[in-house]
Amino acid sequence: MRADRDFAYGAAAGLLADLLLGDPRRGHPVAAFGRAAGAVERRLWRDHRGWGALHTAVCAGGATGAAVLAARLVRHSPAAGVALTAAATWSVVGGTSLGREARAVGGALAAGDIEVARERLPHLCGRDPQALDADGIARAVVESVAENTSDAVVGALVWGALGGVPGLVGFRAVNTLDAMVGHKSPRHRRYGWASARLDDVVGWPGARLTAALATLAGGSPGGAARAWRADAAQHPSPNAGPVEAAFAGALGVRLGGTLSYAGRVEHRPVLNGAGRAVRVTDIERAVRLSRRVSWLALGVAVAAHRTLRSATSGRQS
């Protein structure tokens, strides 16, 4: 089936392009979407859930609709279909940039330069770096690598398998909106509610697949499975919980605990309490596990896409 090959070849090419090239430094489509979404917010913002839901529908719906149109335009050209899938995959995944930023923080910590590490940490997560010592920064990096393996790679591939290019683009749009407005700041507590809840829904399958693959690909499948089963539900995020717990068990480390966001202190449950404290060297281990999970996710996505297409063709015949 040509559609199967289009997705398989295109998604593999896109993931390989991310591995070799990383994110484009200028003209990144996700950055352009973010600017457009910011402009929509400036026009629509009200301290009300309904207006926030409209913002989500306009931005995510517009991006997905444009992807549907693009996919229709190339449906009669195999080469164009592969190229579009590759370009979309490269645009929406960010595994290489994730690893690069994590290693930059790890390198600064290894060199004993905690101030540089604090300067780099906001590239990865929203923690308050001034409230963290070296061990706290290392733990924050490992947690960010785990969560973003799902958000920046696996979740996109899952929705690509389900919906092709529109699935890839729609997932990234929703995830970007959540990062922009889906947090509990006074401005976005109500306005960002719809984006946050929608992100929880679309992120659910990718998070479980990420946790499952981390369990299989990590150094301790039993430990990862136990941590996932015992601790994931205690995490305040329904999707970050399984991923971070599985990574903690696979790496044999403790994650969670006290953290600070913009001066707001949170006391989160410990994940994999039987593990040891995170060390700087665990950052590289987490990055390598993330990369293994990403390539395994590609294989699962291609197989799932082929199965879905075969089932659909069987019903139509």
Side-chain angles (χ1 to χ4, degrees):
M1 299 178 188
R2 187 179 69 80
D4 295 343
R5 293 193 297 271
D6 287 359
F7 179 75
Y9 296 157
L15 201 59
L16 183 61
D18 176 66
L19 175 65
L20 296 176
L21 304 174
D23 290 334
R25 297 188 179 277
R26 293 185 179 181
H28 198 303
V30 175
F33 171 80
R35 290 192 293 271
V40 172
E41 180 186 353
R42 287 191 292 273
R43 288 185 173 273
L44 293 183
W45 187 88
R46 307 286 190 282
D47 191 18
H48 190 276
R49 285 185 176 183
W51 284 94
L54 178 60
H55 173 255
T56 302
V58 168
C59 295
T64 305
V68 169
L69 178 60
R72 287 180 177 176
L73 290 174
V74 302
R75 66 184 182 275
H76 298 303
S77 171
V82 170
L84 178 64
T85 303
T89 303
W90 180 35
S91 296
V92 304
V93 301
T96 295
S97 292
L98 172 65
R100 182 183 297 138
E101 292 298 336
R103 284 168 169 151
V105 177
L109 290 175
D113 197 336
I114 192 169
E115 290 306 319
V116 171
R118 284 172 173 157
E119 290 175 6
R120 301 289 308 193
L121 186 63
H123 292 271
L124 278 171
C125 61
R127 307 280 176 88
D128 180 2
Q130 300 306 317
L132 297 173
D133 59 11
D135 291 341
I137 293 173
R139 175 167 60 85
V141 172
V142 172
E143 290 172 353
S144 182
V145 168
E147 182 176 2
N148 282 294
T149 300
S150 177
D151 287 345
V153 184
V154 180
L157 292 173
V158 167
W159 282 98
L162 296 174
V165 170
L168 289 164
V169 172
F171 174 83
R172 175 55 60 220
V174 171
N175 190 251
T176 302
L177 289 174
D178 178 61
M180 294 179 66
V181 303
H183 40 81
K184 296 182 179 180
S185 67
R187 176 179 174 85
H188 294 126
R189 186 177 301 273
R190 281 180 283 271
Y191 187 82
W193 178 87
S195 290
R197 297 291 76 77
L198 182 58
D199 183 67
D200 287 343
V201 172
V202 301
W204 195 96
R208 272 73 194 169
L209 178 59
T210 304
L213 295 177
T215 299
L216 293 173
S220 177
R226 284 191 295 272
W228 181 4
R229 182 174 58 253
D231 301 331
Q234 301 179 57
H235 196 287
S237 167
N239 294 330
V243 174
E244 291 184 18
F247 263 70
L251 297 171
V253 301
R254 293 192 305 273
L255 299 179
T258 301
L259 51 85
S260 176
Y261 283 98
R264 184 182 77 254
V265 177
E266 293 185 16
H267 300 283
R268 292 185 176 177
V270 173
L271 306 176
N272 191 39
R276 58 170 172 76
V278 175
R279 302 168 183 159
V280 174
T281 53
D282 293 318
I283 293 175
E284 179 62 29
R285 295 175 64 222
V287 171
R288 291 180 179 177
L289 177 57
S290 173
R291 181 161 292 178
R292 292 196 297 273
V293 167
S294 298
W295 285 102
L296 288 172
L298 174 65
V300 173
V302 168
H305 184 78
R306 179 180 294 274
T307 300
L308 290 171
R309 295 290 299 183
S310 297
T312 301
S313 299
R315 286 195 300 269
Q316 290 175 348
S317 61

